[in-house]
Amino acid sequence: MLKLLTLSAVAALLAAPALAAPPAAPNAIPPNKIVSATSGAWTDDGSMGRALLIDDPDNASVDLAIYIGNSADPSQDLKLAAFAHDIASSGNMFGNTAELRQNKKGALQVYSENTAVGRDKWERTMTLAYRGGHFVVSGLTLSAYDDLSPGSGSACDINFLSGKAKAGRRMISVPAGGVPVEKWTEDMIPKACQF
């Protein structure tokens, strides 16, 4: 049955804030597109999940897909919990390919680097946490150096949960609470840490 909307109803729909689009991970991922994968218990209920880095050759980067299980019924399929486009830079040779890791406490990490090409080398470790039913960027550690300038280098360690960060030897602050992984952009890195 077709329903007609009044002009006021149409105006209200147009004035309403747009809903955020849900994560859009591919339904089927060809094995040759998977750059890195890991499994772990990252959620509050301890259910096992899986994370994948998916090659995005058009942008020389990888996308991140995180799937979580159901501890009450482990026989159920994993469901997509988070999808982040262009989460990290990645190439196709040793020294510039992104990978998934887990820290000593089991937290999921996205590691990326360029230690292979050119004189400007860098490493980056992004740590993720599960807070309030969502995955957030909880930390970011960056370091960079110039091969042709011994003694040069920069480092940053950012805690997005506490809002405290260290850029070189000085303390700086960032908004606290974590950044939803789906909303992550490079613009969220403080200027003092963009090198």
Side-chain angles (χ1 to χ4, degrees):
M1 172 184 226
L2 180 63
K3 288 189 175 185
L4 296 176
L5 297 174
T6 64
L7 281 177
S8 61
V10 170
L13 284 172
L14 292 174
L19 296 175
N27 289 334
I29 304 164
N32 66 326
K33 293 286 187 188
I34 298 172
V35 174
S36 184
T38 191
S39 298
W42 306 304
T43 60
D44 299 333
D45 67 4
S47 62
M48 289 300 289
R50 293 199 177 82
L52 304 172
L53 288 181
I54 306 161
D55 186 28
D56 183 0
D58 296 334
N59 295 317
S61 67
V62 288
D63 300 334
L64 172 66
I66 304 173
Y67 299 87
I68 58 174
N70 180 340
S71 66
D73 186 1
S75 67
Q76 287 187 353
D77 286 340
L78 297 175
K79 67 176 186 171
L80 182 67
F83 182 78
H85 182 61
D86 289 341
I87 196 72
S89 174
S90 187
N92 59 7
M93 64 171 39
F94 182 79
N96 72 358
T97 302
E99 65 183 69
L100 291 170
R101 296 178 173 178
Q102 294 183 55
N103 69 13
K104 292 177 184 176
K105 294 182 179 179
L108 181 61
Q109 295 181 316
V110 179
Y111 175 79
S112 54
E113 67 179 337
N114 176 39
T115 57
V117 180
R119 69 185 271 185
D120 296 319
K121 309 291 198 232
W122 56 267
E123 293 181 73
R124 179 172 104 168
T125 302
M126 176 185 287
T127 302
L128 305 176
Y130 191 73
R131 297 289 188 272
H134 302 282
F135 283 93
V136 297
V137 177
S138 60
L140 188 66
T141 302
L142 307 127
S143 63
Y145 62 94
D146 181 342
D147 266 351
L148 301 178
S149 181
S152 71
S154 302
C156 272
D157 194 11
I158 307 163
N159 184 326
F160 286 103
L161 294 177
S162 70
K164 296 178 181 177
K166 188 173 182 182
R169 294 181 186 194
R170 67 184 182 137
M171 297 301 293
I172 60 173
S173 61
V174 296
V179 178
V181 70
E182 298 93 342
K183 296 182 179 185
W184 175 260
T185 68
E186 296 296 308
D187 296 336
M188 295 174 179
I189 300 172
K191 290 211 183 293
C193 296
Q194 293 180 5
F195 35 81

